[in-house]
Amino acid sequence: QVQLIESEGGLVQAGGSLSLSCAASGPTFIRNTMGWFRRAPGKEREFVAVITGNNGYTRYTDSVKGRFTISRDNAKNTVYLQMNSLKAEDTGVYYCAGATHGFMVVDASAYSYWGQGTQVTVSS
């Protein structure tokens, strides 16, 4: 059974940095697309970043471009989200997600596996 286990989030001041990790247990996810989503208070879940399994291509939502970086360590079956220059509007619950294929997808419905979510709070 696949499990995605996210690292603990935290509280950080605006302008600061935070790194999240997501370790996949069970089958290897080397060739699977992995993504990060978030849900801000009172809002719908939204796409944040994705890294494909086929070729390591990345894509970001416009609001985090230049500030967030998604990466993966296939030897550790782990995906990371490095968040810099954090803003108050980045506050939310962050979810790691895994697809059953290696293609570029940004819609949450395309992902089959989800982490439990981790809280990130940015104070202004």
Side-chain angles (χ1 to χ4, degrees):
Q1 184 174 349
V2 175
Q3 278 191 309
L4 300 181
I5 303 171
E6 296 147 354
S7 60
E8 188 173 342
L11 172 64
V12 62
Q13 287 189 331
S17 298
L18 192 64
S19 181
L20 301 178
S21 67
C22 172
S25 65
T28 180
F29 266 63
I30 289 177
R31 296 196 181 280
N32 295 69
T33 291
M34 300 292 292
W36 287 96
F37 291 76
R38 67 186 178 190
R39 188 192 301 273
K43 295 187 177 181
E44 298 290 320
R45 181 174 53 187
E46 66 169 346
F47 162 77
V48 175
V50 59
I51 184 165
T52 65
N54 286 347
N55 44 31
Y57 287 171
T58 61
R59 185 176 292 179
Y60 302 89
T61 191
D62 286 345
S63 63
V64 308
K65 284 180 182 177
R67 300 189 298 120
F68 289 15
T69 302
I70 187 171
S71 62
R72 64 193 303 160
D73 184 338
N74 288 335
K76 297 181 179 179
N77 226 20
T78 299
V79 64
Y80 303 93
L81 185 68
Q82 176 65 42
M83 304 182 290
N84 299 327
S85 302
L86 282 161
K87 304 176 181 180
E89 50 263 43
D90 294 318
T91 293
V93 179
Y94 282 70
Y95 298 89
C96 171
T100 58
H101 53 75
F103 302 107
M104 174 66 72
V105 287
V106 301
D107 194 292
S109 64
Y111 291 82
S112 299
Y113 308 106
W114 291 86
Q116 78 281 5
T118 188
Q119 178 69 46
V120 173
T121 303
V122 183
S123 63
S124 57

